[in-house]
């Protein structure tokens, strides 16, 4: 079986790495946005590749024969570049992209196409919980909210980028009970999230529903042109040769 490059950073990537540890010759690659990422049993590299040329060079030097992209559903630029370079290097590529979330009875969702549109939804009296990650935080600098919070895993290295907000530092998992208590304590009226999907981070949506909090749901980028599966089981089957949709 050819050497696998697993592009990680999600709970699904961690599950795959643990399932394949000791069974498959592979490397788990993490972007390094979290300072102390959890180790998952597979040899791990941390950091970027240096653009498309650097990625192609790594594939050759590391003798990669297959790429499984289990990065975040919003890492569109990275996934498109990986697929393009994989095709140029004639390396089979598959993306694992979990399904997005679906509203249920009691949800108060407002779907928007991007962070710029999301920043226009809250009003001046709202208390906003931003669950979009620090990389997009500056997109909300002009938001006319009374106050907002941004949660991240690592302690911030810089001050909050605008006056009406602050960081919250916490490491998942976040049980629904904890999210309920946090939203009540902060008096949250609007939750802003990306449609990342997955069960691990659904708890904040369940808490918002229970409290009647409005949710601004940012639609995920369209990557339908890339070969992909939606489940860990299908991704593992592809790795182990049972199903190879990207090789067709």
């Amino acid at each position: 079986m050819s050497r696998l490059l697993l592009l990680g950073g999600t709970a699904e990537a961690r599950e795959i790495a643990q399932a394949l540890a000791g069974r498959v010759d592979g490397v788990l690659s993490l972007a390094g946005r979290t300072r102390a990422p959890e180790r998952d049993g597979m040899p791990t590299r941390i950091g970027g590749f240096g653009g498309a040329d650097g990625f192609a060079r790594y594939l050759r030097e590391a003798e990669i024969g297959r790429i499984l992209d289990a990065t975040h559903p919003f890492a569109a630029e990275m996934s498109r570049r990986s697929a393009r370079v994989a095709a140029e290097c004639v390396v089979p590529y598959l993306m694992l992209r979990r399904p997005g979330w679906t509203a249920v009875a009691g949800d108060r969702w407002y779907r928007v196409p991007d962070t710029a549109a999301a920043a226009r939804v809250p009003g001046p009296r709202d208390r906003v919980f931003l669950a979009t990650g620090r990389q997009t935080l500056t997109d909300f600098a002009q938001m006319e909210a009374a106050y907002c919070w941004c949660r991240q895993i690592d302690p911030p290295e810089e001050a909050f980028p605008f006056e009406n907000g602050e960081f919250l530092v916490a490491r998942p998992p976040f049980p629904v009970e904890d999210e309920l208590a946090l939203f009540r304590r902060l008096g949250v009226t609007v939750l802003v999230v990306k449609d990342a999907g997955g069960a691990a981070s659904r708890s904040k949506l369940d808490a918002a529903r229970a409290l009647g909090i409005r949710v601004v749901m940012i639609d995920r980028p369209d990557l339908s042109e890339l070969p992909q599966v939606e489940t860990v089981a299908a991704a593992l089957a592809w790795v182990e040769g049972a199903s190879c949709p990207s090789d067709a």
Side-chain angles (χ1 to χ4, degrees):
M1 186 180 296
S2 57
R3 195 174 195 204
L4 172 72
L5 175 62
L6 173 59
L7 302 177
T10 59
E12 289 80 8
R14 185 177 305 118
E15 185 177 347
I16 290 169
Q18 291 170 348
L20 297 178
R23 297 174 48 218
V24 170
D25 179 16
V27 178
L28 170 63
S29 179
L30 301 174
R33 290 175 179 168
T34 300
R35 292 174 207 160
E38 298 179 13
R39 301 294 178 165
D40 300 300
M42 181 178 285
T44 303
R45 68 172 302 279
I46 297 177
F49 293 96
D53 290 342
F55 188 50
R57 183 168 53 253
Y58 175 82
L59 295 182
R60 292 191 299 270
E61 293 177 352
E63 299 182 341
I64 299 300
R66 186 163 293 189
I67 300 170
L68 177 57
D69 179 356
T71 55
H72 193 277
F74 276 76
E77 183 178 349
M78 181 185 299
S79 293
R80 290 192 179 105
R81 184 200 66 186
S82 299
R84 183 178 69 254
V85 174
E88 293 170 353
C89 295
V90 197
V91 175
Y93 167 94
L94 181 70
M95 178 173 60
L96 168 58
R97 201 177 201 216
R98 62 196 179 215
W101 288 313
T102 301
V104 300
D107 283 326
R108 300 175 63 195
W109 290 10
Y110 302 82
R111 284 198 170 270
V112 295
D114 51 37
T115 53
R120 293 193 292 268
V121 174
R125 295 182 181 276
D126 280 315
R127 297 173 69 79
V128 182
F129 192 90
L130 297 175
T132 56
R134 66 178 182 271
Q135 287 78 25
T136 60
L137 186 53
T138 55
D139 295 343
F140 296 90
Q142 304 303 316
M143 187 169 54
E144 297 180 356
Y147 210 79
C148 63
W149 294 266
C150 175
R151 183 164 60 194
Q152 62 181 49
I153 294 175
D154 296 316
E157 296 180 340
E158 300 177 352
F160 204 80
F162 43 98
E163 293 183 358
N164 59 322
E166 63 183 285
F167 290 110
L168 292 176
V169 178
R171 183 176 288 271
F174 302 113
V176 175
E177 295 77 13
D178 292 354
E179 299 288 64
L180 285 166
L182 177 64
F183 291 170
R184 286 191 182 106
R185 177 170 63 83
L186 299 178
V188 173
T189 60
V190 176
L191 170 65
V192 181
V193 299
K194 295 177 178 179
D195 186 7
S201 54
R202 173 99 201 190
S203 58
K204 56 183 173 284
L205 297 175
D206 295 336
R209 183 191 318 114
L211 297 175
I213 293 172
R214 289 176 291 153
V215 174
V216 181
M217 182 69 66
I218 302 172
D219 288 332
R220 55 174 55 187
D222 182 11
L223 293 175
S224 57
E225 76 277 12
L226 302 184
Q228 58 192 274
V229 293
E230 293 187 340
T231 67
V232 168
L236 288 172
W238 180 79
V239 170
E240 295 170 343
S243 175
C244 300
S246 68
D247 295 343

